Amino acid sequence: MGPVISLRDAVSLSGRFPLLAGVTLDVAGGEVVHLRGPNGAGKSSLLRLCAGLVPIASGTAFVLGHDLRADRQSVRREVGLLGHASFLYDDLSVERNVRFAVRAARADLRGVDEALDRLGLGGRLRSTLVGSLSAGQRRRAALAVVVARRARLWLLDEPHAGLDAMGRTSVDELVRAASASGTTVLLASHELDRASRLADRVVVVAGGRVVAAAEPGATGVPAAQGAEGDETRQIAPAGEAEEDGRDVA
Amino acid sequence: MWRDALLVAGKDLRIEARSKVGLGQVVPFALVVVLLFGLALGPAAGRGSVLSLAAPGLYWVAVLLATVLAVQRSFAIEALDGASDGLKLSGLDPAGIFVGKAAAVCGQLLALEVVLAGAVALLYDRHLAGGLLLVASCVAATVGLVSVGTIYGVVSSGTRQRETLLPLLFFPMVAPILLAATKAWDAALAGTPGRGAGWLDVLAVFAVAYLAMGTVAFGPLLEDA
């Protein structure tokens, strides 16, 4: 089976400003990949590109077998994106929001109850208007949409942000369970230790490019979240490391 | 497409039922406009008064203004917390989204038009004759109006000037609908519905044309929004 995500020199622009400056990345089915990098590195843009939300200006990009240059609509139907925004309607209940997303994706409505329960949104909360939720509950509701849609590829942007300890643990469990069932997960997170424990591979993004990749425990995988240089200086380029067949160091 | 349209229309109507923006703001706004026209043009004193003669045109101007508010509201709910990206990510057929959003606004406007017709009859002293032509022209004109409104609603929703841009784009495009709807209502209220049949045809042509244009154009416009 080919990679779930296959990007080659993918460039994405916002006007004339490059969001991604030539990303090359392969992600296999069932793999959990942790994207790390400083603010503005291009992690969120990379997730949005893989979700089919931003167009590709040059290079090639295949997600779940679909060519993003030709067919972004099919990709959107098959991925679940947890972005900075919740993508939810304030004047609909949690359950209505999730049901709408599931129906739109033509997924099985039986996944709704399960997703709400797993994210602690059962009982009274399921009929609560999203506009009345706390930030953490809202985040969980947004994640419930991703889970309930039973997407084959999860794209999670700071999935632990705004969650309490129990919520963070729930996210970890969901990611592990998804991966075990063959779902591919690409997650961008500044929670380095937590995300690295979940991941099969860490990919460092800086300046709109993938600058390194390694297994989570590999020596030299940076922990810093400061300037771009802090992220990149200790790491060999991804391609070079792979070609040498050694750990990134 | 129809399945997606039903889903979107149901969602929008459910949000409106919950938020009551249409009932609490758009309907009172339109009624105030009708009332203000009455104050500006003097009291209605029989069939010969300016107000009574101008009633069809004033009615449709009020509907036009209310349409702008309803369309703005329809896209305002998509602007909150990234919901428009959510709509793109949903995988829904863009043509279905267009038809669904237009249908939801259309339903609200048709209900508003019934209320406004009552207000016009009462305040402008006009007997609502020619019922069939009135209803048919309302349906055709409203489909045309919301189609144009939904097309330009998505165009303006992606800009910072959305509140001012929508009316600027919308009003010139719907001028033919305003003219035809006014003429059709004029004929109906005058008790000569045969004279309004041609205008009803014009409304139907515009409704079909704008609806078709929207189903084709909405996808690319949504991408750019």
Side-chain angles (χ1 to χ4, degrees):
Chain A
M1 193 177 79
V4 167
I5 298 173
S6 178
L7 309 178
R8 294 284 175 276
D9 296 318
V11 173
S12 182
L13 304 172
S14 173
R16 295 170 67 180
F17 178 76
L19 299 170
L20 298 172
V23 171
T24 296
L25 177 68
D26 284 323
V27 179
E31 194 177 11
V32 179
V33 173
H34 171 205
L35 296 178
R36 66 168 63 168
N39 292 331
K43 304 184 297 294
S44 298
S45 296
L46 178 53
L47 293 177
R48 289 170 65 83
L49 177 88
C50 292
L53 268 184
V54 293
I56 179 170
S58 67
T60 61
F62 288 86
V63 174
L64 295 165
H66 303 290
D67 184 352
L68 280 179
R69 297 186 73 106
D71 183 13
R72 286 192 282 154
Q73 189 72 2
S74 298
V75 173
R76 291 171 180 175
R77 205 170 279 147
E78 294 179 37
V79 303
L81 172 67
L82 178 73
H84 291 297
S86 72
F87 310 136
L88 300 172
Y89 297 98
D90 281 3
D91 288 312
L92 290 182
S93 69
V94 172
E95 183 182 3
R96 289 282 185 197
N97 265 291
V98 177
R99 288 175 77 90
F100 174 74
V102 169
R103 280 184 162 170
R106 294 161 172 78
D108 191 342
L109 279 171
R110 283 176 295 186
V112 174
D113 289 342
E114 187 189 338
L116 292 176
D117 289 340
R118 289 176 77 177
L119 281 149
L121 293 166
R124 184 182 55 83
L125 278 176
R126 68 187 297 147
S127 56
T128 302
L129 293 183
V130 164
S132 307
L133 298 178
S134 70
Q137 289 168 334
R138 196 181 183 93
R139 195 78 181 146
R140 280 191 275 152
L143 189 55
V145 169
V146 175
V147 174
R149 283 178 61 152
R150 296 189 172 162
R152 293 163 58 199
L153 171 62
W154 289 9
L155 304 163
L156 311 179
D157 201 350
E158 299 294 346
H160 302 100
L163 297 180
D164 56 19
M166 194 181 291
R168 290 169 184 222
T169 305
S170 297
V171 169
D172 294 350
E173 287 169 358
L174 282 169
V175 169
R176 287 197 186 96
S179 174
S181 66
T183 302
T184 307
V185 183
L186 200 56
L187 68 97
S189 177
H190 288 300
E191 299 227 10
L192 304 184
D193 290 341
R194 183 179 282 272
S196 293
R197 280 199 298 274
L198 290 171
D200 301 313
R201 189 157 53 111
V202 174
V203 166
V204 182
V205 181
R209 297 173 194 273
V210 171
V211 296
E215 288 185 6
T219 311
V221 173
Q225 289 294 300
E228 207 167 278
D230 294 339
E231 288 284 355
T232 57
R233 66 189 173 204
Q234 303 175 42
I235 314 160
E240 187 181 314
E242 285 166 7
E243 284 163 19
D244 290 352
R246 58 179 166 79
D247 282 346
V248 178
Chain B
M1 183 189 86
W2 297 110
R3 177 195 166 279
D4 289 353
L6 274 176
L7 194 60
V8 172
K11 182 261 295 176
D12 279 13
L13 288 172
R14 191 166 281 121
I15 288 173
E16 278 314 308
R18 181 79 69 170
S19 67
K20 296 184 174 56
V21 169
L23 196 66
Q25 293 179 18
V26 180
V27 173
F29 168 80
L31 286 172
V32 166
V33 169
V34 167
L35 189 64
L36 289 175
F37 281 144
L39 292 173
L41 298 177
R47 301 201 78 183
S49 70
V50 173
L51 193 56
S52 182
L53 289 171
L58 299 179
Y59 171 83
W60 281 106
V61 169
V63 170
L64 238 62
L65 295 172
T67 305
V68 172
L69 291 192
V71 169
Q72 276 179 338
R73 169 64 186 162
S74 173
F75 285 94
I77 60 178
E78 305 297 346
L80 294 171
D81 207 7
S84 63
D85 275 347
L87 208 54
K88 291 178 200 169
L89 276 172
S90 67
L92 290 165
D93 181 356
I97 298 174
F98 167 77
V99 173
K101 291 198 83 66
V105 176
C106 198
Q108 295 170 62
L109 279 180
L110 284 171
L112 169 74
E113 285 165 18
V114 172
V115 175
L116 277 188
V120 164
L122 193 68
L123 297 171
Y124 298 175
D125 193 23
R126 286 299 300 256
H127 173 62
L128 298 178
L132 194 60
L133 181 58
L134 289 187
V135 171
S137 56
C138 271
V139 171
T142 306
V143 170
L145 289 176
V146 296
S147 298
V148 178
T150 306
I151 293 169
Y152 285 119
V154 73
V155 170
S156 58
S157 68
T159 69
R160 288 179 185 167
Q161 303 84 12
R162 61 180 74 93
E163 290 84 3
T164 46
L165 187 60
L166 176 60
L168 202 63
L169 296 171
F170 175 73
F171 287 135
M173 288 298 287
V174 297
I177 297 176
L178 173 69
L179 175 70
T182 300
K183 293 290 186 188
W185 262 55
D186 203 24
L189 295 184
T192 54
R195 197 162 51 84
W199 292 109
L200 181 60
D201 291 343
V202 172
L203 287 172
V205 168
F206 272 104
V208 171
Y210 284 140
L211 199 57
M213 194 189 299
T215 54
V216 174
F218 193 80
L221 294 174
L222 182 64
E223 288 301 322
D224 290 338

